[in-house]
Amino acid sequence: MPTELQEAIEELERMIGQQRERCLSLARRLVPGLTADDITQPHDYPELSQNWHWNYEDGLLAGLLAAQLTLRRVGRK
């Protein structure tokens, strides 16, 4: 795998970690005591699923994860 591609994947991993923390922090402001596992099922918590800010941040996370998967796939060719 080219160095630049590996560096891009590593940077995405860093960004994903930050975004996961951001999502968890926001979720805990809306529903105190939630865990990282809890936010993987946001529809179990109407406070999350009906909150535009939560949906925005969760969508950013989904986009970063999709980009990471795409780069990993490209790197395997």
Side-chain angles (χ1 to χ4, degrees):
M1 182 180 305
T3 303
E4 295 85 7
L5 183 58
Q6 183 60 39
E7 288 173 1
I9 291 170
E10 289 171 5
E11 180 63 15
L12 274 171
E13 288 174 0
R14 184 190 66 76
M15 293 168 67
I16 288 166
Q18 286 181 331
Q19 189 62 25
R20 279 191 172 126
E21 287 299 317
R22 186 178 181 123
C23 286
L24 183 57
S25 175
L26 175 58
R28 285 180 174 162
R29 278 187 273 151
L30 297 169
V31 184
L34 288 181
T35 67
D37 188 52
D38 291 333
I39 65 171
T40 64
Q41 301 295 326
H43 296 312
D44 290 346
Y45 303 93
E47 299 90 334
L48 297 183
S49 64
Q50 296 172 5
N51 183 281
W52 71 268
H53 192 187
W54 160 258
N55 284 302
Y56 176 81
E57 296 296 344
D58 191 45
L60 286 177
L61 178 57
L64 290 170
L65 290 168
Q68 180 189 48
L69 290 172
T70 300
L71 288 181
R72 285 182 176 173
R73 183 173 180 219
V74 167
R76 290 186 182 148
K77 288 185 178 181

